[in-house]
Amino acid sequence: MFHIVAVNLYGEVMATETIELPYVNSDTYYTSLAENVETFILNRQYEPEKIEGISIATQGIISPDGTAVIYGDIMGNTQMKLSDFSSRLPYSCHLEHDSKSAADLELWNHPQFDSALIFF
């Protein structure tokens, strides 16, 4: 499954949706995911020109340049590429490790902290 979350510029969650779609490294999977994201945006009447970008948070180690998962044994997503998403979505896309996303959220919500430590 994957989760879609719309966040405003204040870091507030505006909407969420969970889609049952088991991960498979295939064109069908990435196309379906992109279609679900577009439907999410359309159903909530978000103006596409106001969307700053889409961050894809996934399990696995992301390459230093942020273009691919270089190790993804748990999900089997070692071949996942940022272009799998960016080629199907008309928005700026960013690929990052899910734990980094969680740490960033904690830092955002707790400005008294100046760093975060992630335990795996």
Side-chain angles (χ1 to χ4, degrees), residues 2 21-38 56 58-59 67-69 75-89 93 95:
F2 67 93
L21 183 67
Y23 176 74
V24 178
N25 186 20
S26 70
D27 286 336
T28 302
Y29 173 84
Y30 295 113
T31 298
S32 180
L33 188 144
E35 288 171 352
N36 277 280
V37 169
E38 292 284 24
I56 296 98
T58 188
Q59 293 178 344
T67 61
V69 175
M75 275 182 55
N77 62 342
T78 300
Q79 300 303 316
M80 181 186 283
K81 296 179 216 55
L82 178 60
S83 62
D84 294 328
F85 304 97
S86 63
S87 66
R88 292 171 171 85
L89 292 164
C93 294
L95 183 63

Side-chain angles (χ1 to χ4, degrees), residues 2-93:
F2 67 93
H3 306 283
I4 305 172
V5 181
V7 180
N8 68 18
L9 293 177
Y10 297 103
E12 300 164 337
V13 173
M14 305 304 292
T16 65
E17 188 171 332
T18 299
I19 309 292
E20 291 287 333
L21 183 67
Y23 176 74
V24 178
N25 186 20
S26 70
D27 286 336
T28 302
Y29 173 84
Y30 295 113
T31 298
S32 180
L33 188 144
E35 288 171 352
N36 277 280
V37 169
E38 292 284 24
T39 299
F40 176 87
I41 291 166
L42 182 67
N43 287 346
R44 284 152 187 84
Q45 300 178 352
Y46 294 135
E47 297 176 47
E49 64 276 3
K50 292 186 177 180
I51 296 173
E52 289 295 316
I54 295 178
S55 183
I56 296 98
T58 188
Q59 293 178 344
I61 298 172
I62 309 301
S63 63
D65 64 1
T67 61
V69 175
I70 57 175
Y71 180 80
D73 212 31
I74 294 172
M75 275 182 55
N77 62 342
T78 300
Q79 300 303 316
M80 181 186 283
K81 296 179 216 55
L82 178 60
S83 62
D84 294 328
F85 304 97
S86 63
S87 66
R88 292 171 171 85
L89 292 164
Y91 310 101
S92 172
C93 294

